[in-house]
Amino acid sequence: MLSLDDRLLAALAEDIGRGDATTLATIPAHQPARAEVLLKEPGVLSGLEVAARVFALVDERVTVTWTAQDGEARERGVFGTLTGPARSLLTGERLALNLLQRLSGVATQTRRYVDALGEGQTRLLDTRKTTPLWRDLEKQAVRHGGGFNHRAGLDDGLLIKDNHVAAAGGIAEAIRRAREYAYLLKVECEVPDLPGLDEALRAGADRVLLDNMNDALLAEAVALRDRVAPHVTLEASGNMTLARLPRVQESGVDFVSAGALTHSAPALDISLNFQPEDQP
């Protein structure tokens, strides 16, 4: 996997190209500057260290000072200052803000879901529906928002989906093959209905994903699990709206997963207010 610096350098190269023409044309090389990072709507912050790293890669003379921390819920207002060469602040601005806005948007969306889910045993999980190459940062943003991470990639967990079941010839057979292939990894299997749940429980799944079941079916699924294999955990997924989450919590499932935490999170409105300083 590419390191964070490798990805940030590639993103900077995409944005800067042969040079920041506007900045080079209008700003003297040695002009110092100060800028404030402004949150323009309430939200949960994420990506502060990443944004600071962007400016460090642009120019190590840039100093970034945060008055907040990742995972902190803030109202509108200034939460950071930057000082250094004006050209460097302007050149790194867009990428740093893009990452801050995106990651803070994910953290804020996650916090909304966590708050809607309420207190209880059900935990909120993310999915693999993330921006390519930035999954680790988006999953970190989910944690900053109070959620928990599902598997990070295809290699760290077995999740048998409907297409795996179809290709393997059935739920029990897919679970058997998964156990045989990777006996040290936990096996999760997606099921669409109660008969599928019963088959997965009896086949030895460690967790069962209840796909697109309504509230009544979720409650029945929990009761079935409690009778057949009470040690197995249940994850509900599909159509997990904010309004529905309290009812899902009441059903007694262990986990709720929502792709909307990452694939549909709106960017948080953050800007950089730039104040040129007198040249020494």
Side-chain angles (χ1 to χ4, degrees), residues 2 9 27 55 76 94 105 117 135 155 161 241 255 260:
L2 292 173
L9 287 169
I27 307 298
F55 287 107
R76 298 173 180 87
R94 186 69 270 148
L117 196 57
R135 177 175 295 168
D155 61 344
K161 305 277 283 183
T241 62
F255 301 97

Side-chain angles (χ1 to χ4, degrees):
M1 179 177 176
L2 292 173
S3 70
L4 176 60
D5 278 5
D6 287 339
R7 285 174 284 162
L8 293 178
L9 287 169
L12 284 168
E14 175 189 50
D15 198 30
I16 298 170
R18 291 169 294 178
D20 181 354
T22 307
T23 296
L24 293 173
T26 61
I27 307 298
H30 301 294
Q31 180 174 329
R34 179 180 183 276
E36 295 179 331
V37 188
L38 177 66
L39 180 62
K40 301 173 75 174
E41 61 177 323
V44 178
L45 297 174
S46 182
L48 302 185
E49 292 183 6
V50 179
R53 186 61 186 157
V54 170
F55 287 107
L57 291 173
V58 171
D59 189 336
E60 62 183 11
R61 295 172 294 175
V62 173
T63 298
V64 181
T65 303
W66 300 117
T67 58
Q69 59 185 355
D70 285 326
E72 183 176 344
R74 294 289 291 258
E75 297 298 320
R76 298 173 180 87
V78 174
F79 64 94
T81 58
L82 288 74
T83 57
R87 283 185 175 182
S88 301
L89 299 190
L90 289 166
T91 298
E93 174 186 4
R94 186 69 270 148
L95 176 58
L97 286 182
N98 283 350
L99 290 168
L100 268 178
Q101 291 175 312
R102 168 65 180 157
L103 297 174
S104 297
V106 170
T108 301
Q109 177 94 318
T110 301
R111 185 67 57 86
R112 294 190 189 105
Y113 274 67
V114 169
D115 290 345
L117 196 57
E119 297 182 0
Q121 70 170 11
T122 307
R123 292 184 173 184
L124 178 68
L125 300 174
D126 56 19
T127 71
R128 286 170 44 249
K129 296 176 182 178
T130 55
T131 307
L133 297 181
W134 300 106
R135 177 175 295 168
D136 58 332
L137 299 183
E138 292 179 355
K139 282 183 169 286
Q140 183 181 64
V142 167
R143 297 195 300 274
H144 289 154
F148 294 83
N149 296 146
H150 212 298
R151 57 181 178 163
L154 295 173
D155 61 344
D156 66 351
L158 292 162
L159 176 50
I160 301 168
K161 305 277 283 183
D162 55 349
N163 286 333
H164 298 104
V165 170
I171 290 172
E173 177 61 15
I175 292 174
R176 185 195 68 77
R177 293 181 186 181
R179 285 277 184 221
E180 185 177 275
Y181 178 80
Y183 64 90
L184 292 178
L185 293 177
K186 289 187 178 297
V187 176
E188 180 173 8
C189 185
E190 176 185 282
V191 302
D193 50 33
L194 295 181
L197 170 61
D198 186 67
E199 184 177 358
L201 293 173
R202 296 182 189 279
D206 297 297
R207 182 186 297 177
V208 180
L209 190 157
L210 309 173
D211 185 44
N212 283 306
M213 292 190 183
N214 61 34
D215 299 338
L217 277 178
L218 289 180
E220 290 184 50
V222 171
L224 176 59
R225 182 275 311 272
D226 290 346
R227 291 195 306 272
V228 176
H231 62 284
V232 174
T233 55
L234 297 180
E235 173 187 340
S237 185
N239 192 32
M240 291 301 163
T241 62
L242 291 172
R244 186 189 178 198
L245 286 176
R247 301 194 303 273
V248 176
Q249 168 83 276
E250 291 174 0
S251 74
V253 296
D254 303 284
F255 301 97
V256 169
S257 57
L261 302 183
T262 49
H263 72 57
S264 298
L268 205 62
D269 193 359
I270 299 173
S271 65
L272 195 68
N273 290 341
F274 187 79
Q275 294 291 330
E277 295 184 341
D278 294 334
Q279 297 187 47

